[in-house]
Amino acid sequence: MFKINENYLKLPGSYLFSTIAKKVNAYTAANPDKKIIRLGIGDVTLPLAPAVIDALHGAVDEMGKKETFRGYAPDLGYEFLRSAIAEHDYRARGVEIAIDEIFISDGAKSDSGNIGDIFATDNRIAVCDPVYPVYVDTNAMAGRTGDYIAAEERWSNVIYMPCTEENGFAPQLPDEEPDIIYLCFPNNPTGSTVTKPELQKWVDYANRIGAVIIYDAAYEAYISEENIPHSIYECDGAKTCAIEMRSFSKNAGFTGVRLGFTVIPKALRAGDVQLNSLWARRHGTKFNGAPYIVQRAGEAVYSEEGQRQTKEMVAFYMNNAKVIREGLAAAGYSVSGGVNAPYIWLKTPEGMTSWQFFDYLLETVNVVGTPGSGFGPSGEGYFRLTAFGTYENTLEAIERIKKL
Ligand code: MLT
């Protein structure tokens, strides 16, 4: 008789964004005449950049000809894309990353969920609280998080690093010693960031205690301030303790196209074992590569045109962020984020819980956001709005909220 992975049974409810989608669908079915504005999941609304579309068309044509057709992609991804990444994302910032330290994938969500494969089950993880749920849920699936304590909405074997108003939504070094530390800056969901000296503290700490940092830099393109690091490898010593993940979803609108990458420096070791080799083994065995046409589209993001066009997209979303931030502040809400990130984190009014505010907004003004408590216990009493909507919808949503 087969047995299931019982860790799945410990997971509370469904994935956060699936729960929200179900609630919104139920509301829409019951109220078909209402115009719902969705500022919940961080999904983009602008079409792909023209340079990306041209590259896709070109690659599709290549696939249609015998001479240029491609089958399976190389394990780590095509060299043309890995070279562009090494050049533009790293060398341009004074960081040397070799192309065999870059692994192309179908996105940072999969990579951050799958990376646990190369670590033992008895590693203890530390996460920011609130946190992108994928890090915790995938560790729960792997049996690394202990038991879920429903009353406290937390896992018994996870080190939570509260990110609250008091600490500017930036985690402090934990009292208990973790083996694996998940950091995401600019942060999802709070939109907070850390300066380079602050990030350096984490790198020094991880090197000192022998922990690994899983650094999710999916929102790097949204950094607008000078002293914020774009990559953890800008910090000294990061190559011996950090894995970095990036995505093309938010900087170039690839949420429906799927492309990302993970960097694992060869200097990152457990004894004499390189984590790079373990991930190469895992990648080669379980993944057959992002499609050729998509990797060509990714390469086009780094072209001169692609850079200009995708920067315009980011600027467009950041203008939405400004509309949300300033509009809500003018209406008396306490808001943060939205300066170096496409997320605005607001305090729910009048002591409402995050889910009460979710229902209230959905039912009274037909605006969908994400309840802060869905990201962890310290998210209770907060709410996240995304800047990825259309300009018109963003404006209308804020006008509706202001009238409440
Ligand atoms: C979010 O809304 O937090 C993001 O869209 C999730 C993701 O990128 O997977």
Side-chain angles (χ1 to χ4, degrees):
M1 176 69 185
F2 67 87
K3 297 185 182 67
I4 57 163
N5 176 351
E6 295 206 356
N7 295 318
Y8 278 66
L9 305 181
K10 297 183 184 175
L11 290 164
S14 51
Y15 181 57
L16 173 62
F17 295 105
S18 313
T19 308
I20 292 172
K22 269 185 220 146
K23 268 183 170 265
V24 176
N25 290 345
Y27 182 83
T28 315
N31 301 275
D33 53 320
K34 303 279 191 202
K35 185 192 163 204
I36 309 275
I37 300 181
R38 294 167 197 261
L39 302 181
I41 192 163
D43 196 3
V44 294
T45 49
L46 286 176
L48 294 170
V52 168
I53 292 294
D54 285 348
L56 282 168
H57 282 304
V60 167
D61 288 344
E62 283 183 63
M63 293 297 265
K65 294 192 203 101
K66 194 163 166 242
E67 307 73 48
T68 47
F69 169 79
R70 316 263 183 144
Y72 291 125
D75 277 1
L76 269 57
Y78 283 100
E79 207 171 307
F80 59 76
L81 179 56
R82 290 184 291 130
S83 299
I85 290 168
E87 182 59 41
H88 294 271
D89 286 327
Y90 295 104
R91 197 160 304 130
R93 296 201 175 274
V95 175
E96 272 311 311
I97 295 290
I99 60 166
D100 57 356
E101 295 176 317
I102 299 169
F103 299 79
I104 306 300
S105 72
D106 65 345
K109 178 178 182 179
S110 336
D111 281 355
S112 60
N114 290 330
I115 195 73
D117 277 16
I118 63 169
F119 295 106
T121 314
D122 59 358
N123 279 301
R124 187 116 191 261
I125 68 158
V127 295
C128 292
D129 170 25
V131 68
Y132 179 44
V134 171
Y135 313 150
V136 177
D137 287 5
T138 54
N139 275 287
M141 290 168 178
R144 221 173 264 124
T145 54
D147 292 313
Y148 188 68
I149 308 164
E152 296 174 20
E153 295 183 4
R154 58 172 70 225
W155 293 87
S156 62
N157 195 36
V158 171
I159 300 171
Y160 290 88
M161 305 182 290
C163 298
T164 59
E165 210 174 342
E166 289 70 42
N167 58 26
F169 303 105
Q172 310 297 296
L173 299 181
D175 296 333
E176 296 173 89
E177 211 167 90
D179 304 300
I180 303 173
I181 303 165
Y182 285 82
L183 294 178
C184 169
F185 294 114
N187 187 256
N188 178 15
T190 67
S192 69
T193 43
V194 285
T195 60
K196 193 167 155 189
E198 283 163 348
L199 188 58
Q200 184 67 55
K201 276 190 211 150
W202 284 93
V203 169
D204 294 343
Y205 171 71
N207 276 322
R208 192 168 67 243
I209 66 168
V212 63
I213 297 175
I214 312 287
Y215 193 75
D216 183 346
Y219 299 95
E220 163 277 331
Y222 290 83
I223 294 173
S224 68
E225 292 178 322
E226 276 300 306
N227 57 343
I228 311 293
H230 287 246
S231 162
I232 195 165
Y233 303 119
E234 290 175 43
C235 295
D236 294 334
K239 286 188 181 173
T240 54
C241 69
I243 292 175
E244 180 164 293
M245 285 157 190
R246 298 254 189 129
S247 164
F248 287 76
S249 288
K250 318 292 164 144
N251 65 336
F254 278 37
T255 53
V257 179
R258 306 309 311 152
L259 191 66
F261 64 91
T262 284
V263 175
I264 309 190
K266 280 174 267 174
L268 180 48
R269 294 165 172 275
D272 53 9
V273 178
Q274 290 184 337
L275 267 55
N276 180 291
S277 316
L278 296 187
W279 189 243
R281 186 70 173 86
R282 192 263 170 212
H283 217 55
T285 306
K286 288 199 182 180
F287 185 60
N288 251 338
Y292 172 70
I293 59 171
V294 172
Q295 295 196 45
R296 279 291 182 205
E299 179 192 30
V301 170
Y302 295 102
S303 67
E304 215 177 299
E305 283 290 274
Q307 286 289 289
R308 190 178 51 72
Q309 293 162 358
T310 53
K311 281 195 170 81
E312 278 169 15
M313 292 161 79
V314 168
F316 173 91
Y317 292 130
M318 286 312 275
N319 185 52
N320 285 349
K322 187 164 179 266
V323 166
I324 300 175
R325 213 180 56 238
E326 293 179 356
L328 292 180
Y333 286 86
S334 162
V335 283
S336 60
V339 175
N340 294 296
Y343 296 123
I344 290 87
W345 190 239
L346 60 126
K347 230 177 175 160
T348 58
E350 292 155 27
M352 276 190 219
T353 67
S354 302
W355 278 109
Q356 279 168 347
F357 190 61
F358 174 89
D359 289 334
Y360 177 64
L361 277 197
L362 176 62
E363 285 157 23
T364 53
V365 288
N366 305 137
V367 172
V368 179
T370 309
S373 58
F375 297 101
S378 295
E380 183 56 280
Y382 285 89
F383 201 73
R384 192 193 78 175
L385 289 175
T386 157
F388 288 122
T390 65
Y391 177 67
E392 294 72 25
N393 278 349
T394 304
L395 215 55
E396 190 178 333
I398 298 308
E399 285 314 310
R400 290 187 196 175
I401 295 174
K402 274 181 170 173
K403 287 194 189 116
L404 282 171

